[in-house]
Amino acid sequence: MPTVDTSSSSPGWAGEQSALRLVEVVQNLSLARDLDTVIDIVRRAARRLCQADGATFVLREGDFCHYVNEDAIGPLWKGQRFPLGSCISGWAMTHGRATAIKDIYADERIPHDVYRVTFVKSLVMVPIRAESPIGAIGIYWAQRHAATDAEIELLQALGNSASVAMENVLLYRDLERRVAERTEQLAAANRELETFAYSVSHDLQAPLRHITSYSELLAKEHPEALDEESRAWLGRIHHAAGTMAQLIQSLLRLSRFTRVELRRTRVDLSRIARELAKLLRDEGPERVAEIEIAEGLTVEGDEELLRVVLQNLLANAWKFTSRRDTARISVGMQQPPGGATAYFVRDNGAGFDPGHAERLFGPFQRLHSAKEFPGTGIGLATVKRIVHRHGGVVWAEAAVDEGATFFFTLGEIEPAVPDRPASA
Ligand SMILES: Nc1ncnc2c1ncn2[C@@H]1O[C@H](COP(=O)(O)OP(=O)(O)OP(=O)(O)O)[C@@H](O)[C@H]1O
Ligand SMILES: [Mg+2]
């Protein structure tokens, strides 16, 4: 707001000041997201803009006027309801126009008994929204006061802004409700897919066991019935069934991370990373590796699952640096301004084309051949699922042959998916 010299005494000054105040009120109203805030802003502004002794905010409720709130030197009718036909706010709403009354006791539209217990001598009442009004704003004076056209216009301008603000609140509410509904639909669809994937994987195991055991039985019990080529083909069938069993096991393991109930505790990621790094070094004592782990990476989450996250990320870093003379791996934390804390695992290994980074988090997605670097492609899908369960996100930065960094954040823990759909 521009600074103003209040000592000025030019004739239009009071009007200018009121206009400036009105602009400020309209700005505040445009930010209001609920009806209570709108009412609060309006009742204060109405009194202040016209320098009156009191103001009321009235809502139309069917055939009644509800005096929802007020701001006044003495009590008015806050919380009370009057029939539309027996009070002046009802008159303003049914006629869709403002009215100013200098002496309320000389006006027949006023229920005098209701006013006698108050300080009110004069008033102005304006409708909120010209077309089928939804409410009204009243301002009151303790001394007789003939309201000027400027005062009435100012109050009507406030009424119009209040009407826009109330419509915005309704729109906003509707939008929020629709977003919530949509999110719930998506979550339900996701849960169903999860359950479906789990059931399918689970039910595929039995016929697969039959394939494996009968192919074994055939090779063992009736070797004379098979020539060399048939035996080779049977071997392939057996091998393929074994691979499929492994894939199913991976899917079921992945599914477990969606279904298990999370236990939230304080988790020291630095300690876990050190333990995992030691295991990796024991696995490949001949390798030269510099592993740097930042101290004090403590978070809230499920320790067992966060260990699985670090285990997968560190195992990848270890695997994809296996062709480096010196592997450099670091585990640390980044705090972007205004953003959530991100934890990362960085390496100087084979890296990958960053254009494919998103894809890697899907099950069985791999960018390197199994010959080059072994694996099934389930590790990062597991990481993503666990991080999501913790209300976080995961992403990667990399370049071909220049190493990779995997980041994740953590937030609020999500509930587990039930074993079977609710309707089943
Ligand atoms: N640190 C990394 N450097 C380079 N590429 C990586 C790295 N981590 C993952 N990738 C790429 O992402 C793919 C998927 O990783 P993910 O951990 O899911 O599977 P995997 O390691 O191949 O197998 P699994 O983890 O199931 O044993 C990898 O095959 C590789 O192409
Ligand atoms: Mg992996």
Side-chain angles (χ1 to χ4, degrees):
M1 292 296 292
T3 49
V4 288
D5 174 7
T6 47
S7 65
S8 170
S9 59
S10 66
W13 184 240
E16 254 176 60
Q17 244 187 347
S18 301
L20 280 177
R21 280 195 192 141
L22 183 65
V23 169
E24 195 184 337
V25 171
V26 171
Q27 275 173 350
N28 289 340
L29 277 176
S30 71
L31 298 175
R33 288 288 172 262
D34 56 73
L35 190 57
D36 285 347
T37 311
V38 173
I39 294 173
D40 202 50
I41 294 172
V42 170
R43 76 183 164 112
R44 289 174 204 282
R47 180 175 167 191
R48 199 163 136 245
L49 280 175
C50 299
Q51 289 166 5
D53 297 318
T56 54
F57 188 103
V58 187
L59 276 181
R60 178 169 181 171
E61 288 179 1
D63 289 337
F64 284 85
C65 302
H66 179 192
Y67 282 71
V68 181
N69 212 339
E70 62 200 28
D71 179 25
I73 54 172
L76 293 169
W77 311 280
K78 183 177 171 177
Q80 296 188 49
R81 287 175 176 78
F82 302 99
L84 213 53
S86 76
C87 65
I88 195 68
S89 57
W91 186 92
M93 284 191 257
T94 40
H95 291 77
R97 60 190 158 91
T99 179
I101 305 175
K102 186 177 169 194
D103 177 2
I104 57 162
Y105 295 105
D107 195 303
E108 287 183 351
R109 294 169 299 176
I110 298 286
H112 295 153
D113 289 347
V114 177
Y115 277 73
R116 238 183 285 282
V117 290
T118 71
F119 64 84
V120 178
K121 299 277 185 309
S122 310
L123 65 76
V124 175
M125 185 64 71
V126 300
I128 297 177
R129 198 163 80 180
E131 284 281 307
S132 45
I134 43 177
I137 306 169
I139 50 173
Y140 311 87
W141 285 269
Q143 306 299 327
R144 279 206 187 159
H145 176 87
T148 62
D149 285 349
E151 281 170 338
I152 300 170
E153 273 168 26
L154 202 58
L155 198 64
Q156 190 59 72
L158 180 65
N160 296 343
S161 304
S163 138
V164 174
M166 285 164 77
E167 267 162 30
N168 280 345
V169 163
L170 289 180
L171 277 179
Y172 190 75
R173 243 196 244 162
D174 190 48
L175 213 62
E176 268 191 334
R177 184 185 50 76
R178 273 194 281 169
V179 168
E181 264 176 26
R182 194 93 193 91
T183 312
E184 180 40 44
Q185 277 169 3
L186 278 174
N190 242 341
R191 282 196 294 269
E192 233 164 85
L193 265 179
E194 264 311 319
T195 312
F196 174 72
Y198 176 79
S199 312
V200 169
S201 321
H202 192 265
D203 298 350
L204 279 177
Q205 283 181 311
L208 198 59
R209 267 198 297 272
H210 280 103
I211 296 175
T212 311
S213 42
Y214 281 110
S215 59
E216 262 173 20
L217 214 59
L218 189 59
K220 216 160 87 190
E221 301 292 320
H222 301 288
E224 74 291 346
L226 302 166
D227 60 18
E228 203 163 316
E229 195 178 37
S230 310
R231 264 198 300 278
W233 285 353
L234 197 61
R236 285 193 192 185
I237 292 175
H238 192 256
H239 182 260
T243 310
M244 192 168 165
Q246 262 177 18
L247 293 179
I248 289 177
Q249 276 304 320
S250 300
L251 275 179
L252 287 174
R253 224 177 326 128
L254 185 61
S255 194
R256 187 177 95 75
F257 295 121
T258 315
R259 326 176 79 76
V260 67
E261 204 62 60
L262 267 56
R263 279 193 312 254
R264 200 184 183 91
T265 56
R266 202 125 188 90
V267 182
D268 183 353
L269 293 182
S270 306
R271 175 179 54 78
I272 297 176
R274 279 196 302 273
E275 289 168 11
L276 293 167
K278 178 168 182 314
L279 290 175
L280 290 170
R281 281 188 188 281
D282 291 347
E283 259 174 42
E286 73 293 348
R287 288 189 51 182
V288 182
E290 291 172 7
I291 305 182
E292 198 183 295
I293 296 165
E295 282 302 318
L297 303 179
T298 43
V299 299
E300 291 271 323
D302 185 295
E303 171 146 2
E304 192 199 330
L305 294 200
L306 291 177
R307 178 182 290 273
V308 174
V309 167
L310 284 181
Q311 197 271 326
N312 273 297
L313 295 181
L314 280 167
N316 281 351
W318 184 256
K319 176 163 60 181
F320 292 100
T321 51
S322 59
R323 308 217 163 151
R324 293 283 183 253
D325 292 337
T326 304
R328 290 199 176 80
I329 298 173
S330 56
V331 180
M333 181 183 105
Q334 263 182 14
Q335 179 77 69
T341 309
Y343 304 90
F344 65 81
V345 176
R346 175 170 294 143
D347 66 63
N348 66 335
F352 53 83
D353 175 355
H356 299 305
E358 261 305 301
R359 230 183 68 196
L360 293 180
F361 296 98
F364 308 125
Q365 298 289 336
R366 309 194 72 231
L367 289 180
H368 300 86
S369 71
K371 242 192 230 147
E372 219 183 343
F373 298 102
T376 48
I378 206 75
L380 288 179
T382 308
V383 167
K384 179 175 172 179
R385 208 156 280 195
I386 295 175
V387 167
H388 278 192
R389 290 286 314 274
H390 281 80
V393 284
V394 56
W395 71 97
E397 288 172 8
V400 174
D401 219 25
E402 287 180 30
T405 308
F406 286 83
F407 296 90
F408 65 91
T409 62
L410 299 171
E412 287 296 308
I413 282 181
E414 274 182 18
V417 169
D419 267 4
R420 297 277 160 189
S423 57

